[in-house]
Amino acid sequence: MAKELKELTKRSENYSQWYNDLVIKADLAEQSAVRGCMVIKPYGYAIWEKMQQQLDKMFKETGAQNAYFPLLIPKSFLSKEAEHVKGFAKECAVVTHYRLKSSEEGTGVEVDPAAKLEEELIIRPTSETIIWNTYKNWIKSWRDLPLMCNQWCNVMRWEMRTRPFLRTSEFLWQEGHTAHATREEAEEEAQKMLKVYADFAEQWMAVPVVQGVKSETERFAGALDTYTIEAMMQDGKALQSGTSHFLGQNFAKSFDVTYLNKENKPEYVWATSWGVSTRLIGALIMTHSDDNGLVLPPRLAPIQVVIVPISKTSEQLKAIHDQLKPIIDGLRAMGITVKFDDNDTKRPGFKFADYELKGVPVRLVMGGRDLENNTIEVMRRDTLQKETVSLEKILEYIPKLLEEMQANILKKAKDFRDAHIYECENYDEFKQKIKDGGFFLCHWDGTEETEAKIKEETQATIRCVPFGVEQTPGVDMVSGKPAKYRVIIARSY
């Protein structure tokens, strides 16, 4: 095994350090010179690109169109929606000047005091305000509705404690913003987009999620309802992996966005917003990966198949390449990404370890004996199992193997998640068990006081009121009062 892998911290020893090690050693990202911000390296960005491509397709199938809105937002815009500014005020980065000048000592640059902005600008923490200020110019009549835009962009939230992909001051995401004629249409849209996220998480990321609605204190700032998908990581903690918000008419009223209905009377529109971010890469890492490195679901792997030839001479290498070229071309014609690694500066053992570390789903190895026998060695990353396959069958074998691996990775994650969901009605028992992680299905009286006590005493939060779970009568385990809901409670990232 390569030296780099020996230096990867074991999950059982320090899960947090294992994650940090893996992000760096698998060439996904690294810290930048800007506090709290990361550099996403080409391999990490290739994963994000595959996520983008599939999500973008799914969004457009719902009728959304891509647009782009400014990075800078006038400070006065945030104050127009009270709950919104309250939710983001502590995280805002503020632009106060528009010019620098050389210092008098000639040793550097400093802010030019004469270039102070008349109105300070906020680097977008989210774009509701600038978008709704724009929508009032686009929406005049019921014929203009629904209006459904999405943008792919970066945002800035000044985080105090950061971790690559999971929580950084600047991150990449998409944010959808829609306007509708009726409350029912907007609520339907918000829930539809939650399902889009859940389908993507399970079918492409192979990450099983719990869908539900957030408690009032956990809602997006300015929303009437926030719908969420919650994923369980291997340490039993929850990761909020996507949210969709029913915004009611709050932003429409704040920015005076009205339309003339069919009776020619003005009405405020109804709104939604929804988004996922590069946090999904963190979810991918922590749901599937192991002590050897990344385990990537084939549908999102930048390289799905790597071929490592083992040759003693240049003539033998050429013979292996010639033998495999029709297979490479055939796999690529099926849309499968293939890398033929004939780099002679690295030994095969190093390559094997490196591709394991980077989570390449399938590794094919051909040496002199395989060349003679018209066979090839196949190793699958999810189980590390190897077998020898005839070249005549390989074009049929590989696509089926990739689909089998995708399904197996999802099943493994789902089995783990389901084995760590517990029903609990005793608070003392809960306080002990929560230390080991997991999702706890508990009765809750619906009060902020109980929610705050759980958070203060256990560092766990109410993740959601889950859909698809029977809301049976019961008693709150903390207050002893009649319960309003059964909720998922967990510690989270």
Side-chain angles (χ1 to χ4, degrees):
M1 182 175 288
K3 180 182 178 182
E4 286 82 354
L5 286 188
K6 291 180 180 178
E7 296 175 354
L8 192 65
T9 302
K10 302 291 184 185
R11 289 168 295 170
S12 59
E13 294 174 2
N14 188 329
Y15 188 81
S16 179
Q17 188 59 50
W18 164 82
Y19 175 83
N20 292 336
D21 287 352
L22 189 47
V23 168
I24 299 299
K25 295 180 186 299
D27 274 339
L28 299 177
E30 63 184 36
Q31 298 292 343
S32 76
V34 182
R35 182 205 162 279
C37 298
M38 64 178 173
V39 174
I40 303 176
K41 300 180 77 172
Y43 192 67
Y45 198 83
I47 297 172
W48 178 240
E49 281 183 314
K50 295 199 82 168
M51 290 179 166
Q52 275 186 305
Q53 289 164 7
Q54 180 57 28
L55 282 167
D56 199 63
K57 179 182 176 182
M58 296 170 81
F59 297 158
K60 287 172 179 172
E61 287 173 351
T62 72
Q65 301 180 83
N66 286 337
Y68 186 80
F69 299 87
L71 170 70
L72 299 176
I73 299 172
K75 189 172 73 171
S76 60
F77 281 18
L78 263 69
S79 63
K80 289 188 177 184
E81 212 293 321
E83 288 300 316
H84 192 67
V85 69
K86 181 180 177 182
F88 286 101
K90 294 181 179 179
E91 298 177 338
C92 288
V94 185
V95 178
T96 59
H97 292 73
Y98 61 85
R99 186 170 59 225
L100 299 174
K101 68 174 185 176
S102 298
S103 63
E104 293 182 3
E105 296 80 8
T107 57
V109 293
E110 59 186 28
V111 172
D112 185 347
K116 185 175 174 60
L117 293 171
E118 289 186 16
E119 180 178 2
E120 294 167 341
L121 299 170
I122 309 300
I123 300 176
R124 63 173 167 234
T126 180
S127 298
E128 275 77 7
T129 56
I130 191 73
I131 287 176
W132 282 93
N133 185 70
T134 305
Y135 277 5
K136 72 180 179 183
N137 300 319
W138 293 3
I139 298 171
K140 303 298 181 185
S141 154
W142 62 270
R143 294 182 178 87
D144 300 321
L145 299 173
L147 177 58
M148 301 165 64
C149 288
N150 172 66
Q151 77 165 343
W152 294 94
C153 63
N154 63 337
V155 293
M156 175 70 74
R157 297 178 184 176
W158 208 258
E159 297 282 356
M160 299 310 295
R161 287 182 288 181
T162 61
R163 182 179 295 183
F165 296 114
L166 298 179
R167 194 173 293 277
T168 50
S169 295
E170 179 194 21
F171 54 91
L172 306 181
W173 79 345
Q174 59 74 212
E175 49 180 318
H177 299 268
T178 71
H180 303 266
T182 68
R183 178 183 187 122
E184 292 74 21
E185 287 177 15
E187 288 183 318
E188 181 182 348
E189 176 70 15
Q191 293 186 41
K192 178 202 300 179
M193 295 315 299
L194 184 77
K195 188 175 186 304
V196 168
Y197 289 149
D199 288 347
F200 174 76
E202 297 193 352
Q203 299 305 315
W204 289 80
M205 295 176 61
V207 174
V209 294
V210 173
Q211 301 179 54
V213 61
K214 288 285 191 182
S215 66
E216 185 175 350
T217 59
E218 294 289 327
R219 285 177 193 160
F220 175 78
L224 299 188
D225 272 315
T226 287
Y227 303 104
T228 182
I229 55 172
E230 300 287 330
M232 184 187 293
M233 304 298 97
Q234 291 180 50
D235 61 352
K237 287 185 179 179
L239 185 70
Q240 179 179 291
S241 300
T243 50
S244 181
H245 316 288
F246 169 57
L247 302 177
Q249 295 178 311
N250 290 348
F251 287 93
K253 290 178 179 178
S254 296
F255 289 90
D256 195 27
V257 184
T258 62
Y259 73 99
L260 293 177
N261 63 22
K262 292 182 180 180
E263 287 73 43
N264 213 34
K265 295 179 180 179
E267 291 187 32
Y268 288 108
V269 300
W270 297 83
T272 79
S273 66
W274 28 272
V276 295
S277 74
T278 37
R279 170 179 278 204
L280 292 181
I281 297 178
L284 206 65
I285 296 167
M286 292 197 296
T287 302
H288 304 308
S289 303
D290 59 26
D291 290 341
N292 288 339
L294 291 176
V295 175
L296 295 177
R299 292 180 185 174
L300 293 179
I303 303 168
Q304 293 170 305
V305 177
V306 64
I307 302 174
V308 180
I310 301 177
S311 59
K312 295 180 180 179
T313 66
S314 57
E315 290 79 11
Q316 190 177 60
L317 176 61
K318 183 179 185 304
I320 291 173
H321 180 270
D322 291 346
Q323 183 81 316
L324 293 178
K325 189 176 187 308
I327 291 170
I328 295 170
D329 292 343
L331 291 173
R332 287 175 175 166
M334 297 177 198
I336 296 170
T337 53
V338 183
K339 178 178 180 179
F340 183 81
D341 189 350
D342 59 354
N343 184 339
D344 61 2
T345 65
K346 296 177 181 177
R347 294 179 299 167
F350 178 90
K351 293 179 183 180
F352 296 166
D354 190 46
Y355 290 122
E356 277 185 35
L357 177 65
K358 291 182 177 177
V360 175
V362 174
R363 186 182 77 212
L364 304 180
V365 178
M366 175 173 272
R369 184 174 297 177
D370 296 304
L371 184 61
E372 293 176 5
N373 296 334
N374 202 39
T375 59
I376 196 164
E377 181 188 89
V378 181
M379 193 203 80
R380 52 188 290 176
R381 177 63 183 87
D382 58 337
T383 63
L384 300 178
Q385 292 176 334
K386 300 177 185 177
E387 61 179 306
T388 300
V389 178
S390 167
L391 283 186
E392 296 174 354
K393 299 179 179 179
I394 203 72
L395 281 177
E396 179 183 357
Y397 181 82
I398 293 299
K400 291 180 180 178
L401 178 61
L402 291 172
E403 285 303 307
E404 180 185 326
M405 292 176 66
Q406 183 82 26
N408 182 58
I409 291 171
L410 174 60
K411 182 180 184 303
K412 183 179 179 182
K414 189 174 186 301
D415 288 347
F416 177 87
R417 192 272 312 268
D418 291 350
H420 293 83
I421 296 178
Y422 313 103
E423 294 191 20
C424 189
E425 304 295 343
N426 183 287
Y427 191 45
D428 290 332
E429 178 186 347
F430 169 82
K431 286 192 285 187
Q432 287 301 313
K433 286 188 173 181
I434 192 65
K435 297 174 183 178
D436 296 323
F439 285 5
F440 290 80
L441 188 58
C442 307
H443 283 99
W444 173 48
D445 63 14
T447 68
E448 291 185 18
E449 292 78 13
T450 296
E451 190 173 9
K453 183 175 181 179
I454 293 171
K455 185 174 184 178
E456 180 183 353
E457 295 183 351
T458 69
Q459 291 79 55
T461 54
I462 294 174
R463 306 311 303 162
C464 65
V465 180
F467 299 152
V469 171
E470 187 179 359
Q471 290 294 326
T472 57
V475 175
D476 187 296
M477 65 180 180
V478 179
S479 68
K481 297 177 182 178
K484 288 189 176 181
Y485 313 101
R486 292 177 84 198
V487 296
I488 293 289
I489 305 176
R491 289 181 174 175
S492 66
Y493 284 95

